[in-house]
Amino acid sequence: MKGRKQVRSHWQLHLDEVFMKINSERHYRWRAVDHEGEVLKNYVTRRRDRKATLKLVRKSMKNYGQPRVIGTDKLRSYCAAMKVIGNADRQEKGRWLNNRVANSHLSFRRREWAMQRFRQARTMQKFVSAQSAIQNYFNQECHLYSRANFKFN
């Protein structure tokens, strides 16, 4: 299939959201990251509910296929969305299960602070999409190398 990622049996999806203020209004930035740390989808919304979660999960599964495991935090909208889709048995929820996504927010936070915040949600969505593509390009896939070889490179 053209444009689709090949799904392997160990493929995992990690979901997370982080809030940001745009003109003193709270917005949420949703992210879907695979087990290698590659950002799959970014989505900016005003609400943090089941509808927003469903949109993120459906978009990422449409483009990348069905994951073996979906790692999330304990937000209730994730459970509600998984029940609607039928992935409740694939969801693993826990306090540190989505650390891969939470750590990928850090580079964006530094960049956002340097830009002195955003004025519109549309501008943030455009920047998030461009920044994640650049981040994926420079992702060094450290899981493929031993620590000694990775530090040598």
Side-chain angles (χ1 to χ4, degrees), residues 4 8 15 18 23 44 52 63 65 67 82 99-100 108-109 116 119 124 134 139 148 150-152:
R4 285 197 176 194
R8 295 174 182 87
L15 304 174
V18 65
N23 292 334
V44 178
N63 292 337
M82 294 304 152
N99 272 359
R100 184 171 299 277
F108 179 79
R109 286 288 198 181
Q116 300 177 349
R119 307 290 188 269
M124 185 168 80
I134 292 169
N139 185 13
F150 185 71
K151 287 185 83 171
F152 180 72

mmCIF file of all heavy atoms in Angstrom, residues 4 8 15 18 23 44 52 63 65 67 82 99-100 108-109 116 119 124 134 139 148 150-152:
data_model
loop_
_atom_site.group_PDB
_atom_site.id
_atom_site.type_symbol
_atom_site.label_atom_id
_atom_site.label_comp_id
_atom_site.label_asym_id
_atom_site.label_seq_id
_atom_site.Cartn_x
_atom_site.Cartn_y
_atom_site.Cartn_z
ATOM 1 N N ARG A 4 1.637 3.950 3.263
ATOM 2 C CA ARG A 4 1.344 3.362 4.566
ATOM 3 C C ARG A 4 2.599 2.730 5.146
ATOM 4 O O ARG A 4 3.435 2.206 4.436
ATOM 5 C CB ARG A 4 0.274 2.291 4.460
ATOM 6 C CG ARG A 4 -1.082 2.881 4.280
ATOM 7 C CD ARG A 4 -2.101 1.850 4.598
ATOM 8 N NE ARG A 4 -3.417 2.467 4.510
ATOM 9 C CZ ARG A 4 -4.496 1.920 4.983
ATOM 10 N NH1 ARG A 4 -4.450 0.769 5.565
ATOM 11 N NH2 ARG A 4 -5.640 2.522 4.872
ATOM 12 N N ARG A 8 4.394 -4.119 11.888
ATOM 13 C CA ARG A 8 5.099 -5.292 12.389
ATOM 14 C C ARG A 8 4.375 -5.791 13.622
ATOM 15 O O ARG A 8 3.585 -5.082 14.230
ATOM 16 C CB ARG A 8 6.540 -4.926 12.704
ATOM 17 C CG ARG A 8 7.287 -4.536 11.447
ATOM 18 C CD ARG A 8 8.685 -4.038 11.789
ATOM 19 N NE ARG A 8 9.376 -3.631 10.599
ATOM 20 C CZ ARG A 8 9.301 -2.421 10.069
ATOM 21 N NH1 ARG A 8 8.541 -1.502 10.601
ATOM 22 N NH2 ARG A 8 9.986 -2.118 8.993
ATOM 23 N N LEU A 15 0.101 7.479 23.129
ATOM 24 C CA LEU A 15 -0.725 8.677 22.998
ATOM 25 C C LEU A 15 -0.536 9.570 24.216
ATOM 26 O O LEU A 15 -0.411 9.087 25.335
ATOM 27 C CB LEU A 15 -2.200 8.296 22.891
ATOM 28 C CG LEU A 15 -2.586 7.333 21.780
ATOM 29 C CD1 LEU A 15 -4.046 6.949 21.912
ATOM 30 C CD2 LEU A 15 -2.329 7.949 20.432
ATOM 31 N N VAL A 18 -0.981 17.497 25.907
ATOM 32 C CA VAL A 18 -0.385 18.521 26.757
ATOM 33 C C VAL A 18 -1.166 19.809 26.508
ATOM 34 O O VAL A 18 -1.618 20.066 25.397
ATOM 35 C CB VAL A 18 1.121 18.689 26.463
ATOM 36 C CG1 VAL A 18 1.372 19.197 25.071
ATOM 37 C CG2 VAL A 18 1.790 19.571 27.489
ATOM 38 N N ASN A 23 -3.711 32.978 23.660
ATOM 39 C CA ASN A 23 -4.533 34.137 24.009
ATOM 40 C C ASN A 23 -5.371 33.876 25.258
ATOM 41 O O ASN A 23 -6.572 34.100 25.289
ATOM 42 C CB ASN A 23 -5.437 34.550 22.839
ATOM 43 C CG ASN A 23 -4.632 35.091 21.695
ATOM 44 O OD1 ASN A 23 -3.537 35.603 21.879
ATOM 45 N ND2 ASN A 23 -5.181 34.969 20.502
ATOM 46 N N VAL A 44 -4.336 19.573 17.291
ATOM 47 C CA VAL A 44 -4.594 20.642 18.251
ATOM 48 C C VAL A 44 -6.102 20.830 18.379
ATOM 49 O O VAL A 44 -6.807 20.911 17.376
ATOM 50 C CB VAL A 44 -3.941 21.973 17.800
ATOM 51 C CG1 VAL A 44 -4.261 23.084 18.770
ATOM 52 C CG2 VAL A 44 -2.439 21.789 17.664
ATOM 53 N N ALA A 52 -12.141 14.175 20.740
ATOM 54 C CA ALA A 52 -10.788 14.538 20.306
ATOM 55 C C ALA A 52 -9.876 13.317 20.291
ATOM 56 O O ALA A 52 -9.067 13.135 19.375
ATOM 57 C CB ALA A 52 -10.220 15.615 21.216
ATOM 58 N N ASN A 63 -3.803 5.576 8.889
ATOM 59 C CA ASN A 63 -2.567 5.728 8.127
ATOM 60 C C ASN A 63 -1.524 4.663 8.437
ATOM 61 O O ASN A 63 -0.734 4.313 7.566
ATOM 62 C CB ASN A 63 -1.952 7.103 8.390
ATOM 63 C CG ASN A 63 -2.787 8.208 7.807
ATOM 64 O OD1 ASN A 63 -3.559 7.998 6.886
ATOM 65 N ND2 ASN A 63 -2.644 9.393 8.350
ATOM 66 N N GLY A 65 -2.099 1.578 10.465
ATOM 67 C CA GLY A 65 -2.545 0.227 10.773
ATOM 68 C C GLY A 65 -2.810 0.013 12.251
ATOM 69 O O GLY A 65 -2.661 0.902 13.074
ATOM 70 N N PRO A 67 -2.076 -1.191 15.865
ATOM 71 C CA PRO A 67 -0.916 -1.502 16.705
ATOM 72 C C PRO A 67 -1.194 -2.687 17.617
ATOM 73 O O PRO A 67 -2.350 -3.033 17.885
ATOM 74 C CB PRO A 67 -0.730 -0.221 17.519
ATOM 75 C CG PRO A 67 -2.089 0.334 17.624
ATOM 76 C CD PRO A 67 -2.785 -0.018 16.337
ATOM 77 N N MET A 82 -11.256 3.960 23.329
ATOM 78 C CA MET A 82 -10.871 2.574 23.026
ATOM 79 C C MET A 82 -12.089 1.653 23.029
ATOM 80 O O MET A 82 -12.152 0.702 22.248
ATOM 81 C CB MET A 82 -9.842 2.071 24.032
ATOM 82 C CG MET A 82 -8.521 2.773 23.969
ATOM 83 S SD MET A 82 -7.787 2.698 22.345
ATOM 84 C CE MET A 82 -6.830 4.179 22.377
ATOM 85 N N ASN A 99 5.850 7.695 28.521
ATOM 86 C CA ASN A 99 7.021 8.555 28.681
ATOM 87 C C ASN A 99 7.665 8.903 27.346
ATOM 88 O O ASN A 99 8.228 9.968 27.190
ATOM 89 C CB ASN A 99 8.058 7.893 29.581
ATOM 90 C CG ASN A 99 7.819 8.221 31.032
ATOM 91 O OD1 ASN A 99 6.895 8.945 31.365
ATOM 92 N ND2 ASN A 99 8.636 7.669 31.892
ATOM 93 N N ARG A 100 7.589 7.990 26.391
ATOM 94 C CA ARG A 100 8.179 8.260 25.077
ATOM 95 C C ARG A 100 7.520 9.489 24.442
ATOM 96 O O ARG A 100 8.176 10.327 23.845
ATOM 97 C CB ARG A 100 8.026 7.052 24.163
ATOM 98 C CG ARG A 100 8.698 7.247 22.828
ATOM 99 C CD ARG A 100 8.724 5.990 22.027
ATOM 100 N NE ARG A 100 9.442 4.909 22.632
ATOM 101 C CZ ARG A 100 10.769 4.744 22.558
ATOM 102 N NH1 ARG A 100 11.499 5.622 21.928
ATOM 103 N NH2 ARG A 100 11.348 3.714 23.108
ATOM 104 N N PHE A 108 9.562 20.634 21.736
ATOM 105 C CA PHE A 108 8.538 21.579 21.296
ATOM 106 C C PHE A 108 8.334 22.689 22.321
ATOM 107 O O PHE A 108 8.174 23.851 21.965
ATOM 108 C CB PHE A 108 7.223 20.853 21.045
ATOM 109 C CG PHE A 108 6.126 21.773 20.612
ATOM 110 C CD1 PHE A 108 6.065 22.222 19.313
ATOM 111 C CD2 PHE A 108 5.175 22.208 21.510
ATOM 112 C CE1 PHE A 108 5.061 23.085 18.905
ATOM 113 C CE2 PHE A 108 4.174 23.062 21.128
ATOM 114 C CZ PHE A 108 4.124 23.504 19.815
ATOM 115 N N ARG A 109 8.352 22.341 23.593
ATOM 116 C CA ARG A 109 8.175 23.336 24.649
ATOM 117 C C ARG A 109 9.293 24.383 24.622
ATOM 118 O O ARG A 109 9.052 25.569 24.797
ATOM 119 C CB ARG A 109 8.141 22.664 26.022
ATOM 120 C CG ARG A 109 6.876 21.932 26.310
ATOM 121 C CD ARG A 109 5.784 22.905 26.551
ATOM 122 N NE ARG A 109 4.681 22.249 27.224
ATOM 123 C CZ ARG A 109 3.575 22.848 27.539
ATOM 124 N NH1 ARG A 109 3.409 24.107 27.253
ATOM 125 N NH2 ARG A 109 2.614 22.204 28.130
ATOM 126 N N GLN A 116 7.942 32.860 22.023
ATOM 127 C CA GLN A 116 7.051 33.661 22.863
ATOM 128 C C GLN A 116 5.582 33.338 22.610
ATOM 129 O O GLN A 116 4.764 34.211 22.381
ATOM 130 C CB GLN A 116 7.319 35.153 22.669
ATOM 131 C CG GLN A 116 8.717 35.536 23.030
ATOM 132 C CD GLN A 116 8.988 36.998 22.768
ATOM 133 O OE1 GLN A 116 8.201 37.680 22.131
ATOM 134 N NE2 GLN A 116 10.111 37.476 23.262
ATOM 135 N N ARG A 119 -0.320 32.828 18.858
ATOM 136 C CA ARG A 119 -1.469 33.727 18.906
ATOM 137 C C ARG A 119 -2.754 33.048 18.422
ATOM 138 O O ARG A 119 -3.835 33.441 18.780
ATOM 139 C CB ARG A 119 -1.233 34.965 18.036
ATOM 140 C CG ARG A 119 0.040 35.708 18.330
ATOM 141 C CD ARG A 119 -0.016 36.411 19.680
ATOM 142 N NE ARG A 119 1.125 37.270 19.901
ATOM 143 C CZ ARG A 119 2.257 36.899 20.495
ATOM 144 N NH1 ARG A 119 2.410 35.671 20.926
ATOM 145 N NH2 ARG A 119 3.232 37.765 20.677
ATOM 146 N N MET A 124 -0.347 27.331 15.525
ATOM 147 C CA MET A 124 0.280 26.274 16.309
ATOM 148 C C MET A 124 0.205 24.942 15.578
ATOM 149 O O MET A 124 1.173 24.185 15.556
ATOM 150 C CB MET A 124 -0.374 26.159 17.677
ATOM 151 C CG MET A 124 0.336 25.141 18.562
ATOM 152 S SD MET A 124 -0.150 25.198 20.270
ATOM 153 C CE MET A 124 -1.660 24.298 20.239
ATOM 154 N N ILE A 134 10.472 17.582 10.994
ATOM 155 C CA ILE A 134 11.909 17.829 11.158
ATOM 156 C C ILE A 134 12.475 16.940 12.262
ATOM 157 O O ILE A 134 13.554 16.368 12.122
ATOM 158 C CB ILE A 134 12.161 19.317 11.458
ATOM 159 C CG1 ILE A 134 11.822 20.141 10.223
ATOM 160 C CG2 ILE A 134 13.602 19.561 11.889
ATOM 161 C CD1 ILE A 134 11.768 21.626 10.474
ATOM 162 N N ASN A 139 15.704 12.022 13.892
ATOM 163 C CA ASN A 139 15.604 10.973 14.910
ATOM 164 C C ASN A 139 16.696 9.942 14.667
ATOM 165 O O ASN A 139 16.825 9.397 13.577
ATOM 166 C CB ASN A 139 14.229 10.312 14.839
ATOM 167 C CG ASN A 139 14.018 9.301 15.930
ATOM 168 O OD1 ASN A 139 14.767 9.230 16.897
ATOM 169 N ND2 ASN A 139 12.967 8.509 15.785
ATOM 170 N N ALA A 148 27.565 1.824 23.418
ATOM 171 C CA ALA A 148 28.941 2.216 23.066
ATOM 172 C C ALA A 148 29.016 2.727 21.625
ATOM 173 O O ALA A 148 29.633 3.756 21.358
ATOM 174 C CB ALA A 148 29.883 1.027 23.253
ATOM 175 N N PHE A 150 26.494 3.920 19.837
ATOM 176 C CA PHE A 150 25.702 5.141 19.700
ATOM 177 C C PHE A 150 26.482 6.345 20.194
ATOM 178 O O PHE A 150 26.461 7.401 19.581
ATOM 179 C CB PHE A 150 24.390 4.994 20.480
ATOM 180 C CG PHE A 150 23.462 6.163 20.284
ATOM 181 C CD1 PHE A 150 22.821 6.349 19.080
ATOM 182 C CD2 PHE A 150 23.252 7.051 21.305
ATOM 183 C CE1 PHE A 150 21.967 7.425 18.891
ATOM 184 C CE2 PHE A 150 22.395 8.126 21.136
ATOM 185 C CZ PHE A 150 21.759 8.303 19.919
ATOM 186 N N LYS A 151 27.195 6.203 21.298
ATOM 187 C CA LYS A 151 27.994 7.318 21.816
ATOM 188 C C LYS A 151 29.189 7.610 20.914
ATOM 189 O O LYS A 151 29.651 8.737 20.829
ATOM 190 C CB LYS A 151 28.470 7.005 23.239
ATOM 191 C CG LYS A 151 27.349 7.081 24.244
ATOM 192 C CD LYS A 151 27.857 6.903 25.639
ATOM 193 C CE LYS A 151 28.349 8.260 26.079
ATOM 194 N NZ LYS A 151 28.691 8.307 27.477
ATOM 195 N N PHE A 152 29.684 6.582 20.222
ATOM 196 C CA PHE A 152 30.818 6.746 19.316
ATOM 197 C C PHE A 152 30.419 7.584 18.106
ATOM 198 O O PHE A 152 31.177 8.389 17.599
ATOM 199 C CB PHE A 152 31.348 5.382 18.886
ATOM 200 C CG PHE A 152 32.521 5.472 17.955
ATOM 201 C CD1 PHE A 152 33.760 5.864 18.412
ATOM 202 C CD2 PHE A 152 32.374 5.177 16.618
ATOM 203 C CE1 PHE A 152 34.847 5.950 17.569
ATOM 204 C CE2 PHE A 152 33.436 5.258 15.744
ATOM 205 C CZ PHE A 152 34.684 5.641 16.222
#
